[in-house]
Amino acid sequence: MPAIPPGYGPSIVVLAVYFGGVMFVGLYAWRKFPQSDPENYILGGRAIGWLVAMFTLMATQYSALTVLGFPGTMYRDGLSGYVAIGGMYIGFAALYWMAFAARTWKLGRAFGHMTPGETFSHFYGSAWVGYVLGGMLILAVVPYIQVQILGLGFLFQVATGGMIDEPTGAVLVYFLIIVYVLLGGMRAVALTDTLQGVLLVAGLVGGALVVVNVAGGIPAAFSRVIAARPEWLTIPGPGGRSPWPFIISFAIPVGLGWTMHPHMWIRMHIPRTVNYIRLWPLVVVASFPIVMGAAFLSGVAGQVLRPGVTDRQATDSMMISLILDNFQPVVAGLVAAAGIAAMMSSVSSQIHGVGASVSRDFLHKLFPEHDPRRGVLYTRLSVLVVGGIGLYLSLTQPGFLTKLGAFSAAWGAQAAPPAIAALVGWRWATKWGAIAGPLGGTAMLLAIGLTTQDHRLLGLYAGLWGLAVNLALFAIVSAATRPARPDDSIVRAYRAIGW
C-alpha cells in the first residue's frame, strides 16, 4: 500500500468517514424500503418526503460543473458568466418547473408514467416516439456521466495527495456508487443526496470564503478586480465574448434541456404530494445565490491571485489550485471531498435515471414482463450497463466525449417542444412531428457545436439554433401529417387531469 503523503492523513480520514456514511445510508435504504416492483425502485414508491425531495433535487443539479466548471466559467467570463448561468437555472429551468412540474406529477399518478419516454409514447400513441425521444435523452446524458466520472478521479487524486491516481480513484468511487444504486434504487439515491448536499454546500462555500480571504477579503478583492480588469464586471465581459444575445441564446436551451434529462424528469414523480413539487422552483431560486455566489467569489479570488490564466483545464481547477497554493493540504482535501460529494450525487442520479429509461422505454416494451420482480431486475441490469459505459468512456475516450458533454443540456432541450405539447394536450402535434423536430434540431446542434470553436453561429449559441430548427420541423411536419394526431380520447384524458 502506498504511503500517505505528508499532511493528507486528515483529508483521507474525512473521505473514509464520508464514504462509510454514504454506504451506510444506501444500505439502510435497501433494507428499510422494499424494492419489489419498478415503481418502488425507480420512484421510491412516489412517496418521498419534502426534505429528502428538496435535497435530491439540489444535490443532483449541482455537479462537477459546480466545483470545477462554474468557478472556471466565472474566472474567464466574470459577471456575464454568472448572468448566463443564472438565466439558465432561474430564468428557464425554474420557470419550466413552475409551469409543468405539478402537471407532470399529476399525469404520472393518473397514467403510471415514470420516464419521459412513457409520457411521449402514451400521448402520441406511438412506441416509436418513445424509442426516438427516450433514446435521444439517454445519449444526451451518457457523455455527462463520463465527464462526472473524470471529475471524480481528479478530485480523488487531489484529496489523497496523489496517493491514488485519477483512473484508480474514478474506478473506486464508481464501484461505491453502483453498489448502493443497484441495491437501494431511488430511496438510496435520494437519501445519500441529502448527506451529499449538506457536504457540497459547506465545502463549496467554505472553499470560496477561504480563497477570497487570501485575496484580501470580499470588498478588497472586488476593488482590485475593478481596478485591473473593469470589463470583467460588465456585460459583454472580457473581450466582448458574452453579449446579451449570446447569454439569452445559451440560457434558453440549456435551462430547458436540463429539466428534460431522465434523472431530472423522474424527480418530478417522486414527491409524496403535489404541494412539494410546487416548491421546487423556490429551491432553485433560493439555492442559486448561495452556491453560484460561492463559485463567483472563487472567480474573483482567481482574478486577484492568478490573473491571466487562459488554459481551460487550469481555469476549471482554479479554486482547488488556489487552496493548494495557500493552505495546508487538509483544506484542499476537505474541499475536494465536498466536490466528490457533488459529483457522486449527480452520477448516482444519472445512472439510475438513464438505467430506468433503458428499462422502461425499451426493455419493458420489447420484452413485456408482468412479474414486478423481473421489472426491477431489468432496471438494475440497465443501471449496471449504463454506469459501466460511462466508466469505460471516462478511462478510454476523455477528449471527444468531454466536448460532447458540453452539449448535454442543449441536446436534452430538443425534447422540450414535443414534451410541452404532450403536457399541455395540444391535439395539432403529431407523432411524426414529434420525431422530425428533435432529430432535425439535434443535427443542427451538433453541426454547429462540433464545427465551430466557440459553439455559436452569428453570435447565437448552437443550442438555440437547434431549438429553432426543431420547432419549425415540429410544426411543419405536424401540419403535413394530420391523420397521425393523438387520439381524441387521449387528448381529453390529458386535459381532464388539471394543473
Side-chain angles (χ1 to χ4, degrees):
M1 180 176 178
I4 296 176
Y8 282 90
S11 66
I12 293 174
V13 170
V14 169
L15 276 181
V17 171
Y18 162 65
F19 288 148
V22 168
M23 185 55 69
F24 173 80
V25 172
L27 293 176
Y28 169 80
W30 170 51
R31 299 299 298 171
K32 178 71 173 177
F33 301 100
Q35 308 296 325
S36 55
D37 61 81
E39 189 165 280
N40 273 295
Y41 184 80
I42 296 172
L43 302 180
R46 302 183 192 265
I48 303 294
W50 72 270
L51 183 64
V52 175
M54 178 188 73
F55 269 105
T56 191
L57 170 69
M58 186 179 71
T60 299
Q61 70 178 331
Y62 297 129
S63 57
L65 291 174
T66 309
V67 180
L68 299 176
F70 288 156
T73 297
M74 294 175 195
Y75 174 88
R76 294 186 298 270
D77 297 337
L79 180 63
S80 60
Y82 184 87
V83 172
I85 296 168
M88 173 187 77
Y89 276 120
I90 298 175
F92 290 95
L95 183 64
Y96 176 87
W97 272 337
M98 189 179 298
F100 299 111
R103 171 74 165 167
T104 304
W105 184 93
K106 289 186 174 184
L107 290 171
R109 292 287 175 125
F111 302 117
H113 302 161
M114 300 186 201
T115 66
E118 288 180 304
T119 300
F120 299 144
S121 295
H122 184 222
F123 179 76
Y124 292 102
S126 169
W128 279 103
V129 176
Y131 293 150
V132 171
L133 297 184
M136 183 187 75
L137 290 172
I138 289 167
L139 291 176
V141 177
V142 168
Y144 197 26
I145 296 173
Q146 175 258 353
V147 172
Q148 301 278 4
I149 296 176
L150 282 174
L152 280 170
F154 167 72
L155 289 179
F156 202 93
Q157 178 174 278
V158 171
T160 61
M163 184 179 74
I164 297 178
D165 59 28
E166 289 188 33
T168 304
V171 171
L172 289 174
V173 180
Y174 164 76
F175 277 109
L176 177 68
I177 293 170
I178 204 70
V179 167
Y180 71 75
V181 175
L182 283 176
L183 292 176
M186 173 56 75
R187 287 281 188 178
V189 172
L191 287 174
T192 55
D193 279 351
T194 303
L195 173 63
Q196 291 159 341
V198 172
L199 184 58
L200 159 65
V201 173
L204 182 63
V205 173
L209 291 176
V210 296
V211 295
V212 82
N213 185 62
V214 174
I218 295 176
F222 271 94
S223 296
R224 292 174 66 179
V225 171
I226 291 172
R229 298 193 69 190
E231 74 279 6
W232 195 81
L233 290 170
T234 67
I235 295 174
R241 288 196 303 268
S242 301
W244 279 110
F246 174 76
I247 289 174
I248 295 170
S249 70
F250 170 85
I252 293 172
V254 176
L256 286 177
W258 174 57
T259 64
M260 293 291 114
H261 286 171
H263 58 291
M264 300 307 299
W265 186 286
I266 283 173
R267 272 157 179 73
M268 288 186 278
H269 292 299
I270 66 172
R272 185 179 301 134
T273 74
V274 72
N275 291 330
Y276 295 167
I277 204 167
R278 294 190 193 280
L279 297 175
W280 276 16
L282 298 179
V283 174
V284 176
V285 173
S287 64
F288 182 87
I290 299 171
V291 177
M292 292 306 150
F296 188 71
L297 288 179
S298 298
V300 172
Q303 284 293 329
V304 172
L305 299 171
R306 279 194 175 190
V309 177
T310 57
D311 179 73
R312 181 64 177 260
Q313 185 174 355
T315 58
D316 281 350
S317 59
M318 180 62 68
M319 184 172 71
I320 297 292
S321 298
L322 292 176
I323 292 173
L324 286 171
D325 287 347
N326 295 281
F327 293 93
Q328 293 296 317
V330 64
V331 180
L334 292 173
V335 175
I340 289 172
M343 294 177 200
M344 284 182 66
S345 64
S346 294
V347 171
S348 62
S349 298
Q350 288 162 350
I351 62 176
H352 173 266
V354 172
S357 287
V358 171
S359 174
R360 299 294 300 176
D361 298 339
F362 291 90
L363 298 182
H364 181 69
K365 293 177 182 176
L366 296 173
F367 309 103
E369 179 55 65
H370 300 293
D371 182 352
R373 293 171 299 179
R374 186 64 61 88
V376 174
L377 176 62
Y378 284 169
T379 308
R380 283 181 165 143
L381 290 175
S382 300
V383 166
L384 186 62
V385 171
V386 167
I389 291 172
L391 177 63
Y392 173 77
L393 293 175
S394 72
L395 298 176
T396 60
Q397 302 290 333
F400 176 67
L401 283 173
T402 300
K403 189 172 184 179
L404 274 183
F407 302 107
S408 179
W411 195 356
Q414 303 313 313
I420 292 172
L423 293 173
V424 174
W426 283 333
R427 190 176 181 278
W428 61 265
T430 71
K431 62 182 178 181
W432 299 117
I435 290 174
L439 291 180
T442 296
M444 176 62 74
L445 166 70
L446 296 178
I448 297 173
L450 297 179
T451 59
T452 60
Q453 186 175 3
D454 56 2
H455 317 310
R456 63 184 81 183
L457 176 66
L458 301 178
L460 301 180
Y461 182 58
L464 189 64
W465 287 108
L467 204 53
V469 170
N470 184 336
L471 286 167
L473 286 174
F474 186 30
I476 292 170
V477 174
S478 291
T481 56
R482 292 183 179 181
R485 287 177 172 176
D487 187 87
D488 284 342
S489 62
I490 295 293
V491 174
R492 287 195 298 270
Y494 270 53
R495 292 179 176 177
I497 295 302
W499 293 79

Coordinates of all heavy atoms in Angstrom, one line a residue, residues 333-373:
G333 N -8.0 18.9 0.7 CA -8.7 17.6 0.7 C -10.1 17.7 1.1 O -11.0 17.0 0.6
L334 N -10.4 18.6 2.1 CA -11.8 18.7 2.5 C -12.7 19.3 1.4 O -13.8 18.9 1.2 CB -11.9 19.6 3.8 CG -11.2 19.0 5.0 CD1 -11.2 20.1 6.2 CD2 -12.0 17.8 5.5
V335 N -12.2 20.3 0.7 CA -12.9 20.9 -0.4 C -13.1 19.9 -1.5 O -14.2 19.8 -2.1 CB -12.3 22.2 -0.9 CG1 -13.0 22.7 -2.1 CG2 -12.3 23.3 0.2
A336 N -12.0 19.1 -1.8 CA -12.2 18.1 -2.8 C -13.2 17.0 -2.4 O -13.9 16.5 -3.3 CB -10.8 17.4 -3.0
A337 N -13.3 16.7 -1.1 CA -14.3 15.8 -0.6 C -15.7 16.3 -0.9 O -16.6 15.6 -1.3 CB -14.1 15.5 0.9
A338 N -15.9 17.6 -0.7 CA -17.2 18.2 -1.0 C -17.5 18.1 -2.5 O -18.6 17.9 -2.9 CB -17.2 19.7 -0.5
G339 N -16.4 18.3 -3.3 CA -16.6 18.2 -4.8 C -17.0 16.8 -5.1 O -17.8 16.5 -6.0
I340 N -16.3 15.8 -4.5 CA -16.7 14.4 -4.7 C -18.1 14.1 -4.4 O -18.8 13.4 -5.1 CB -15.7 13.5 -4.0 CG1 -14.3 13.5 -4.6 CG2 -16.2 12.0 -3.9 CD1 -13.2 12.8 -3.8
A341 N -18.6 14.7 -3.3 CA -20.0 14.6 -2.9 C -20.9 15.1 -4.0 O -21.9 14.5 -4.3 CB -20.2 15.3 -1.6
A342 N -20.6 16.3 -4.5 CA -21.4 16.8 -5.6 C -21.5 15.9 -6.8 O -22.6 15.7 -7.4 CB -20.8 18.2 -6.0
M343 N -20.3 15.4 -7.2 CA -20.3 14.5 -8.4 C -20.9 13.2 -8.1 O -21.6 12.6 -9.0 CB -18.9 14.4 -8.8 CG -18.3 15.7 -9.3 SD -16.5 15.5 -9.8 CE -16.0 17.2 -9.7
M344 N -20.7 12.6 -6.9 CA -21.4 11.3 -6.6 C -22.9 11.4 -6.7 O -23.6 10.5 -7.2 CB -20.9 10.8 -5.3 CG -19.5 10.3 -5.2 SD -19.0 9.6 -3.6 CE -20.1 8.3 -3.4
S345 N -23.4 12.5 -6.1 CA -24.9 12.7 -6.1 C -25.4 12.8 -7.6 O -26.5 12.2 -7.9 CB -25.3 13.9 -5.4 OG -24.8 15.1 -6.0
S346 N -24.7 13.4 -8.4 CA -25.1 13.6 -9.8 C -24.9 12.2 -10.6 O -25.8 11.8 -11.3 CB -24.3 14.7 -10.5 OG -24.7 15.9 -10.0
V347 N -23.8 11.6 -10.4 CA -23.6 10.3 -11.1 C -24.6 9.3 -10.7 O -25.2 8.6 -11.6 CB -22.1 9.8 -10.9 CG1 -22.0 8.4 -11.4 CG2 -21.1 10.7 -11.5
S348 N -24.8 9.2 -9.4 CA -25.8 8.2 -9.0 C -27.2 8.4 -9.5 O -27.9 7.5 -10.0 CB -25.9 8.1 -7.4 OG -26.3 9.3 -6.9
S349 N -27.6 9.7 -9.6 CA -28.9 10.1 -10.1 C -28.9 9.8 -11.6 O -30.0 9.3 -12.1 CB -29.2 11.6 -9.8 OG -29.3 11.8 -8.5
Q350 N -27.9 10.1 -12.3 CA -27.8 10.0 -13.8 C -27.9 8.5 -14.2 O -28.6 8.1 -15.1 CB -26.6 10.7 -14.3 CG -26.8 12.2 -14.3 CD -25.4 12.9 -14.4 OE1 -24.4 12.3 -14.4 NE2 -25.5 14.2 -14.6
I351 N -27.1 7.7 -13.6 CA -27.1 6.3 -14.0 C -28.4 5.6 -13.6 O -28.9 4.7 -14.3 CB -25.8 5.5 -13.5 CG1 -25.8 5.4 -11.9 CG2 -24.6 6.1 -14.0 CD1 -24.6 4.6 -11.4
H352 N -28.9 6.0 -12.4 CA -30.2 5.5 -12.0 C -31.3 5.9 -13.0 O -32.1 5.1 -13.5 CB -30.6 6.0 -10.6 CG -32.0 5.6 -10.2 ND1 -33.0 6.5 -10.3 CD2 -32.5 4.5 -9.6 CE1 -34.1 5.9 -9.8 NE2 -33.8 4.7 -9.4
G353 N -31.3 7.2 -13.4 CA -32.4 7.7 -14.3 C -32.2 7.2 -15.7 O -33.2 6.8 -16.3
V354 N -31.0 7.1 -16.2 CA -30.8 6.6 -17.6 C -31.1 5.1 -17.6 O -31.7 4.6 -18.5 CB -29.4 6.9 -18.1 CG1 -29.1 6.2 -19.4 CG2 -29.2 8.4 -18.2
G355 N -30.7 4.4 -16.5 CA -31.0 3.0 -16.5 C -32.5 2.7 -16.4 O -33.0 1.8 -17.1
A356 N -33.2 3.6 -15.7 CA -34.7 3.4 -15.7 C -35.3 3.7 -17.0 O -36.2 3.0 -17.4 CB -35.2 4.4 -14.7
S357 N -34.7 4.6 -17.8 CA -35.2 4.9 -19.1 C -34.9 3.7 -20.1 O -35.8 3.3 -20.9 CB -34.6 6.2 -19.7 OG -35.1 7.3 -19.1
V358 N -33.8 3.2 -20.0 CA -33.4 2.0 -20.8 C -34.4 0.9 -20.5 O -35.0 0.2 -21.4 CB -32.0 1.5 -20.6 CG1 -31.7 0.2 -21.3 CG2 -31.0 2.6 -21.1
S359 N -34.7 0.6 -19.2 CA -35.5 -0.5 -18.8 C -37.0 -0.2 -19.2 O -37.6 -1.1 -19.9 CB -35.4 -0.6 -17.3 OG -36.4 -1.6 -16.9
R360 N -37.5 1.0 -18.9 CA -38.9 1.2 -19.1 C -39.3 1.6 -20.6 O -40.3 1.2 -21.1 CB -39.4 2.4 -18.3 CG -39.3 2.2 -16.8 CD -40.2 1.1 -16.3 NE -41.6 1.4 -16.5 CZ -42.6 0.6 -16.2 NH1 -42.3 -0.6 -15.7 NH2 -43.8 0.9 -16.4
D361 N -38.4 2.3 -21.3 CA -38.7 2.8 -22.6 C -38.3 1.7 -23.7 O -38.7 1.9 -24.8 CB -37.9 4.1 -22.9 CG -38.4 5.2 -22.0 OD1 -39.5 5.1 -21.4 OD2 -37.7 6.2 -21.8
F362 N -37.4 0.8 -23.3 CA -37.0 -0.2 -24.3 C -37.3 -1.6 -23.9 O -38.1 -2.3 -24.5 CB -35.5 0.0 -24.7 CG -35.2 1.3 -25.4 CD1 -34.9 2.4 -24.7 CD2 -35.3 1.3 -26.8 CE1 -34.7 3.6 -25.4 CE2 -35.0 2.5 -27.5 CZ -34.7 3.6 -26.8
L363 N -36.6 -2.1 -22.8 CA -36.7 -3.5 -22.4 C -38.2 -3.9 -22.1 O -38.7 -4.9 -22.5 CB -35.8 -3.8 -21.3 CG -34.3 -3.6 -21.5 CD1 -33.5 -4.0 -20.3 CD2 -33.9 -4.4 -22.7
H364 N -38.9 -3.0 -21.3 CA -40.2 -3.3 -20.9 C -41.2 -3.4 -22.1 O -42.1 -4.2 -22.1 CB -40.7 -2.2 -19.9 CG -42.1 -2.4 -19.4 ND1 -42.4 -3.4 -18.5 CD2 -43.2 -1.7 -19.6 CE1 -43.7 -3.4 -18.2 NE2 -44.2 -2.4 -18.9
K365 N -40.9 -2.6 -23.1 CA -41.8 -2.6 -24.3 C -41.4 -3.8 -25.3 O -42.3 -4.4 -25.9 CB -41.7 -1.3 -25.1 CG -42.3 -0.1 -24.3 CD -42.1 1.2 -25.0 CE -42.6 2.4 -24.2 NZ -42.4 3.7 -24.9
L366 N -40.1 -4.0 -25.4 CA -39.7 -5.1 -26.3 C -39.9 -6.5 -25.7 O -40.2 -7.4 -26.5 CB -38.2 -4.9 -26.7 CG -37.9 -3.6 -27.5 CD1 -36.4 -3.4 -27.6 CD2 -38.6 -3.6 -28.8
F367 N -39.8 -6.6 -24.4 CA -39.9 -7.9 -23.7 C -40.9 -7.7 -22.6 O -40.5 -7.7 -21.4 CB -38.5 -8.4 -23.2 CG -37.5 -8.4 -24.3 CD1 -36.5 -7.4 -24.3 CD2 -37.5 -9.3 -25.3 CE1 -35.5 -7.4 -25.3 CE2 -36.5 -9.3 -26.3 CZ -35.5 -8.3 -26.3
P368 N -42.2 -7.6 -22.8 CA -43.1 -7.4 -21.8 C -43.0 -8.4 -20.7 O -42.9 -9.6 -21.0 CB -44.5 -7.4 -22.5 CG -44.2 -7.2 -23.9 CD -42.8 -7.7 -24.2
E369 N -43.0 -8.0 -19.5 CA -42.9 -8.9 -18.3 C -43.8 -8.4 -17.2 O -43.7 -7.3 -16.7 CB -41.4 -8.9 -17.8 CG -41.2 -9.8 -16.7 CD -41.7 -11.2 -16.9 OE1 -41.1 -11.9 -17.7 OE2 -42.6 -11.6 -16.2
H370 N -44.7 -9.2 -16.8 CA -45.7 -8.8 -15.8 C -45.3 -9.1 -14.4 O -45.9 -8.7 -13.4 CB -47.1 -9.5 -16.1 CG -47.6 -9.2 -17.4 ND1 -48.1 -7.9 -17.8 CD2 -47.8 -9.9 -18.6 CE1 -48.5 -7.9 -19.0 NE2 -48.3 -9.1 -19.5
D371 N -44.2 -9.8 -14.2 CA -43.7 -10.1 -12.9 C -42.9 -8.8 -12.4 O -41.9 -8.5 -13.0 CB -42.7 -11.3 -12.9 CG -42.2 -11.6 -11.6 OD1 -42.4 -10.8 -10.6 OD2 -41.5 -12.7 -11.5
P372 N -43.3 -8.1 -11.4 CA -42.7 -6.9 -11.0 C -41.2 -7.1 -10.6 O -40.4 -6.2 -10.8 CB -43.5 -6.4 -9.8 CG -44.3 -7.5 -9.4 CD -44.5 -8.4 -10.6
R373 N -40.9 -8.2 -10.1 CA -39.5 -8.5 -9.7 C -38.6 -8.6 -10.9 O -37.5 -8.1 -10.9 CB -39.4 -9.8 -8.9 CG -40.1 -9.7 -7.5 CD -40.2 -11.1 -6.9 NE -41.0 -12.0 -7.7 CZ -41.2 -13.3 -7.4 NH1 -40.7 -13.8 -6.3 NH2 -41.9 -14.1 -8.2

